[in-house]
Amino acid sequence: MATLKPSVDITPKIPKNIEQSRINNFLAPNGQFYSMGIRQGLWTERHSGDPYVKLSVYDVPDLKRITFKEAIGQKFEPIQQHQRSFGPSWSTHWFKVDIIIPEVMVDHPVVFQWDMDSEGLVWSTDGIPLQGLTGGDDQARQEYILTQNATKDQEFSFYIEAACNGMFGVGDNDAMVPDPNRYFNIKKADLVIPAYSIQKLYYDLVIIQGIAYDTNQDSSRARQAVWVLNEIINQFIINDPTSIDKCLNLSSEFLAASNGEGEHQITAIGHCHIDTAWLWPFDETKRKVARSWSSQLDLINRYPDYVFTASQVQQYEWLEELYPDLFRAIQEQEKLGRWEIIGGSWVEHDTNMPSGESLCRQMLLGQTYFEKKFGKRTNVFWLPDSFGYSGQLPQVLKQSGCDYFFTQKLSWNNINKFPLTTFWWTGIDNSRVLAHLTPADTYNAMVTPSELYKCTTNHHDIEYSNRSLLVYGNGDGGGGPAPEHLERLKRMKNVDGLPSCKPGQVIDFFKNVEDNSQKLQAYKGELYLEFHRGTYTTQALVKRGNRQCEVLIRDVEFLSTAARLFHSNNISKQSSYSYPTKDINRLWKLICLNQFHDCLPGSGIGLAYVDVHKYHREVIYESLTLRRKAQDYILFGEEGHEKKQSGNCIAIFNTLPWTRSDIVSMPEKNTHWSDQQWKDEHEYIIVESVPGFSVAVFPSQSIPRVEPNEGVRAYQQDSGEFVLENSHIKGIFNSRGQLLELYDKHSNRGNLVPSGSKGNILQLYEDVPTYWDAWDVEIYHLQKYKILENNESLKISANGPLRAELTFRQDISKDSWIEQNISLTCLGTFIEFDSAVEWHEKHQFLKTEFNWDIITDFATYDIQYGVLRRPNHYNSTLDSARFEVCGHKFADLSDANYGVALLNNCKYGYATHEKSQRLSLLRSPKGPDENADMGRHKFKYAIFPHNGNFESSDVVRKALEFNVPLSYRQTNYYAGPKTFSPSLFSIDPPGRIIIDTVKLAENDQDQGKTVILRIYEAYGGQSRGTLTSSLNINTIQISNILEDDTNNLLTADKDGGFTLNLTPFQILTLKIQLN
Ligand SMILES: [Zn+2]
């Protein structure tokens, strides 16, 4: 009888669901049928303990992290694998591992497996870090390859530096609060032989399984994949090499079918996201970098086309300092194109809260380092995990050598899906960078068929650009790709049923997009993250530290520049003053480090904040010292300042670019200035017309007195309300500290507080997010709050004529209270609320609310070198999703003719809805830092009513003055640098084009010849101004944030000034060469 071809299948066809269960069981990592599946065959011949694996240990005392050299000098005690546990959390234990190959492993590859449920680093006996190890089941990396071919009685020795923390620290609950007493056991210290052919089959099956079930299940490819999987299970006999060969033939044949020419193209880049501090402190990060990057160097050697990228220049600098061998190896691989330097910023910083200058310095520090150590800058800005992206970033990036931007964080939006994948991100000034948000929605991709498929289904712009970037590897706690990722990638480069996915550099991905796309959509303004809105407020001390440091270092740079230039003009004398380049650089590095995206936003553990606060204190203390030194030199020159510090003159330093008058509070040292008004040990004095970027010296007899009828007053009305009043404004308060009425005497607007409402309403909201405690305040918190108004304690505490003040206190709970001094000065056009809070709450959110008689449909917020308008209504879900937003020094609510700005000196969270304007003051999340924000807080805010809309107002200027106080020195002498006469730099008209930073150029090398000015247009309109200086200017180049030399020169006007034309929100860096 002739055989039928094709033959008759004599078994029934298997229903889909049953077939899927069979396949899942076969590939499962555990479960009741594990012993019949493929996974139990991946490793064979397991051996541990004496005589093959001998362990000895040195327990490092006091949670110290010591060097290899220190460690190997210690006495190691022999230990059995299960003898005891190791801890507590954050402690370090150095193991020496001595191995003798068992007879049965001779002529085989041998792998050492180590699992302590924690992180470790393998060191050679001569002190070379070889690779990282990660225990546990999640993101595991447990294999260290000893040899591909063991010989008889072969011996191996190495060290493991075991850290008693997991990849994600030592948190043990959802809140991620660290457990200080975790102990770890050695679960595995085994020798095994890898069963390479079964491993190969296993990886094949994983890909085929993905095609079968994670792509379009109705496609012919998916259905064939199911058939092949089932057939392989039918053929599989674990100890029979012929059966395994048959299976491999089936799987290889299936995977050999390649995809078509029009297939989606994915560039796969290996990466490990290492949070610079988060659920662990900075010091652990330094070791995470070594563990992660040594593992990647090892994989680069083992997989010939593997490409890896790492950002965060601070991490490179740590590595260079602590692990120079690894650093050199990275430099070599970078040259070979296998290691891509990326990002360009000092750390992956938050971009909501750092100032404009901070954003510039992140790039200046980062790119300069890359240039110095790798001979090049990066063109790609890399910020996959930060919590939203400032609308001023595109311009900062363009001026820092970055044309491309990568992130994915907007996929975390919990209200609206972000509509674009590959697009022109357009800043508030219209600068554009090419942006890509990986459609895989993760920077820790696992290289699975489902992720590749998602790159096509979730790509919003595939009709414009048929490409995506897959950023893969274990991350957040570091790690990076493991061999399994690379095995999967190897099989998916070109296989029918999946997009093409090839290893490559990120820069090449972007260049491909550029070369192969006809058009792309554009997206204007900030990339607001609809999530993590609590991070503008959590860990208030970090926010305060950040603002203080930014303000002080600016003073230091300007005054040091001035002192250095003063010295240049006095070259006849031997000067002791030099520009503190090194110190300033070091302080900026600390400021930038603390702006990391889990530090400044407040989402780290308490242990991380010990360092963060320490660094901020260091910056503040050293900045004050440097400022004083510069001021001394400016005041006393070479004459020295001994004996001259007391006296009857007061020197006022104005580091803002316009003339200022203000009330200054001077410490009393038996000196009587105008003898008019005192508070405690301080006397209030009025200082008038201090020129911008200058110093003015006032002899005591020149300090004016304020006539009582010209001064400010505090008084109680017959009706019981309290009034603060000067010649500009009048505010009326009730005894609870709430603002009842506000009048601007230069306007006919009448009472600015709408009838029936109030201002300075202190509100306490219940603040229970859905999961991420320190990060999130949720939309429903707005529905549940109480007003703090039980105490009617307000009293007059100062009654002018220079400063009038009302003081009150409200209890927040039995443990917490707030006390405020509400004040107005005789010159003041704003009312200040100086607050002290004792805060011991749990899941409560403190805010203050003001209501204004203003009808508009947007509010204006201060951001970096510009402002942003956001809606003040909930029309669409895009609007309501912005129920809490980030603003820097002010938020303004104006109609066409009038407005009020709410200023602050260290806060970042605002909420404006219709007529009400709220400033977020304090939160009280309990994880990952269970003590976040507990204790004493001090902060200030102010209300500034103004004629005209925001654009015609002085709000920017007022907010800067509110944040940058005049500084003073008492003296009886003044050498009087002529450089200051009247101003070092000024722009006419002042206030719209603003000079922010004044510093010596990076390449000035203390010559005092090259000065950098950072200037910006603050209101969003084309503006013209004239720059003048008291210095002898040779040339002015239009440079950029990296201070590059250009041929673009400004020419001087006839009268010596330089005309500047700025476009809206333009950042202009001028490089000034002095004669
Ligand atoms: Zn992160």
Side-chain angles (χ1 to χ4, degrees), residues 351-544:
T351 82
N352 288 315
M353 292 170 277
S355 68
E357 187 59 21
S358 286
L359 293 186
C360 297
R361 300 312 262 268
Q362 287 279 355
M363 299 309 291
L364 178 65
L365 284 173
Q367 293 280 42
T368 308
Y369 181 91
F370 274 162
E371 208 165 10
K372 215 157 135 190
K373 304 294 174 180
F374 294 89
K376 60 164 82 151
R377 299 168 178 170
T378 175
N379 214 351
V380 182
F381 186 60
W382 185 265
L383 220 49
D385 192 30
S386 297
F387 310 151
Y389 304 90
S390 161
Q392 190 57 288
L393 259 184
Q395 186 178 193
V396 171
L397 300 182
K398 289 298 278 190
Q399 293 196 23
S400 307
C402 289
D403 298 314
Y404 311 115
F405 169 54
F406 170 79
T407 187
Q408 68 82 42
K409 199 66 188 181
L410 299 178
S411 70
W412 286 45
N413 278 3
N414 69 354
I415 297 183
N416 301 285
K417 195 166 167 59
F418 189 76
L420 298 170
T421 297
T422 306
F423 58 99
W424 286 110
W425 181 24
T426 309
I428 56 171
D429 72 312
N430 254 28
S431 292
R432 297 189 203 273
V433 290
L434 183 55
H436 180 70
L437 278 55
T438 174
D441 283 352
T442 176
Y443 51 83
N444 297 327
M446 295 288 106
V447 203
T448 60
S450 78
E451 287 166 349
L452 269 59
Y453 187 62
K454 191 174 179 185
C455 283
T456 64
T457 57
N458 191 43
H459 196 304
H460 303 295
D461 305 296
I462 211 159
E463 60 273 55
Y464 294 95
S465 168
N466 195 16
R467 289 182 151 70
S468 25
L469 190 68
L470 186 75
V471 180
Y472 68 97
N474 298 322
D476 289 329
E484 63 192 71
H485 299 94
L486 300 175
E487 290 296 336
R488 290 195 288 265
L489 177 57
K490 204 196 275 181
R491 288 161 174 78
M492 295 196 289
K493 285 179 190 164
N494 183 6
V495 57
D496 186 19
L498 289 173
S500 145
C501 183
K502 297 193 172 123
Q505 292 208 348
V506 180
I507 183 68
D508 295 329
F509 161 78
F510 277 107
K511 291 202 163 140
N512 269 326
V513 170
E514 260 177 3
D515 293 347
N516 294 291
S517 309
Q518 300 289 329
K519 289 177 180 174
L520 289 173
Q521 293 281 312
Y523 188 95
K524 170 99 183 192
E526 74 171 327
L527 300 177
Y528 177 84
L529 178 66
E530 296 177 358
F531 214 41
H532 295 359
R533 303 165 183 91
T535 59
Y536 319 139
T537 305
T538 307
Q539 298 279 9
L541 287 183
V542 181
K543 273 70 172 173
R544 183 180 148 99

Side-chain angles (χ1 to χ4, degrees), residues 273-275 348 385 387 443 476 596-598:
H273 185 71
I274 308 178
D275 285 319
E348 286 185 15
D385 192 30
F387 310 151
Y443 51 83
D476 289 329
F596 177 73
H597 66 257
D598 286 306

Side-chain angles (χ1 to χ4, degrees), residues 1005-1018:
Q1005 294 173 322
D1006 198 30
Q1007 295 298 301
K1009 286 286 173 203
T1010 318
V1011 179
I1012 296 289
L1013 294 193
R1014 192 111 48 224
I1015 295 171
Y1016 65 104
E1017 194 289 312

Side-chain angles (χ1 to χ4, degrees), residues 671-685:
T671 323
H672 297 272
W673 302 97
S674 63
D675 249 341
Q676 267 200 297
Q677 194 183 344
W678 301 77
K679 186 180 187 182
D680 305 328
E681 302 294 290
H682 286 70
E683 181 183 350
Y684 292 116
I685 62 167

Side-chain angles (χ1 to χ4, degrees), residues 912-933:
T912 314
H913 183 244
E914 298 189 347
K915 297 179 168 187
S916 72
Q917 207 178 23
R918 292 188 205 103
L919 178 66
S920 300
L921 303 176
L922 290 169
R923 292 188 72 220
S924 46
K926 297 299 161 194
D929 176 3
E930 57 190 333
N931 296 313
D933 282 321

